[in-house]
Amino acid sequence: MAVIFISLGSNLDREVQLRAAVRALRASFTGVSLSPVYESAAVGFDGPPFYNLVARAETALDPAAVVARLHAIEDAQGRQRHADGWHSRTLDLDLLLYDALVEETAQYALPRPEITSHAFVLKPLADLAGTLRHPLQAARYADLWAAFDQAAQPLTRVPFEFDAA
């Protein structure tokens, strides 16, 4: 079984969307655990703030099948895809890590490049897997977060409860 990390984000009907996404992830993968939820400003466009978190799970699926499953979950929750990629969304699910695999295809890049450039990805990943090391940088996620310019991308932790697994 591969260990995977998935980022979750929503800025439209955030609470409903994230709860539904977590239920779908638990139905699709085993051993799902969750980081705290954070609120952050929209990046790259003007829009309502996002709620973001990271999930850890285990799967026997290959990376392409995981990405296809994540897209199916997004689509089931009304995700509208736009050519420019910068817009409000009901749900955004991105495969961040698949074990320590380093690979790039037309469908995905592993590790996902945004891990080290977006606070809303790095902070919840560091919360959930702080002692793990980035496959390319070899730094622990907790150390990458400590070195991150946190003032440039402020996050607010949100009290958020999910249904028990």
Side-chain angles (χ1 to χ4, degrees):
M1 296 286 274
V3 174
I4 59 174
F5 289 87
I6 301 160
S7 66
L8 295 81
S10 174
N11 75 334
L12 299 175
D13 205 9
R14 304 176 301 185
E15 292 183 14
V16 169
Q17 291 295 333
L18 291 181
R19 283 190 175 90
V22 167
R23 282 192 302 275
L25 291 177
R26 287 178 172 154
S28 299
F29 307 108
T30 59
V32 174
S33 57
L34 306 171
S35 75
V37 175
Y38 293 92
E39 184 176 64
S40 65
V43 173
F45 67 98
D46 289 329
F50 276 80
Y51 277 179
N52 295 95
L53 71 147
V54 168
R56 178 201 180 277
E58 297 172 7
T59 186
L61 298 174
D62 64 35
V66 171
V67 170
R69 180 66 190 129
L70 298 179
H71 285 175
I73 293 169
E74 290 173 336
D75 293 346
Q77 290 184 228
R79 168 75 185 263
Q80 299 295 311
R81 298 186 195 288
H82 301 276
D84 65 7
W86 301 103
H87 60 279
S88 290
R89 57 197 63 135
T90 54
L91 184 62
D92 191 19
L93 300 175
D94 293 314
L95 179 60
L96 302 175
L97 299 164
Y98 185 99
D99 286 335
L101 183 64
V102 175
E103 182 174 79
E104 189 166 346
T105 73
Q107 291 80 29
Y108 60 84
L110 294 168
R112 190 154 178 103
E114 292 86 359
I115 289 173
T116 57
S117 61
H118 293 308
F120 62 82
V121 177
L122 182 55
K123 173 58 172 153
L125 182 58
D127 288 342
L128 198 57
T131 61
L132 291 183
R133 294 184 180 275
H134 190 283
L136 295 172
Q137 298 184 11
R140 295 178 328 129
Y141 292 108
D143 296 334
L144 289 169
W145 177 246
F148 193 85
D149 182 3
Q150 298 172 24
Q153 295 181 31
L155 298 174
T156 303
R157 188 168 171 170
V158 177
F160 201 103
E161 297 292 326
F162 290 97
D163 297 334

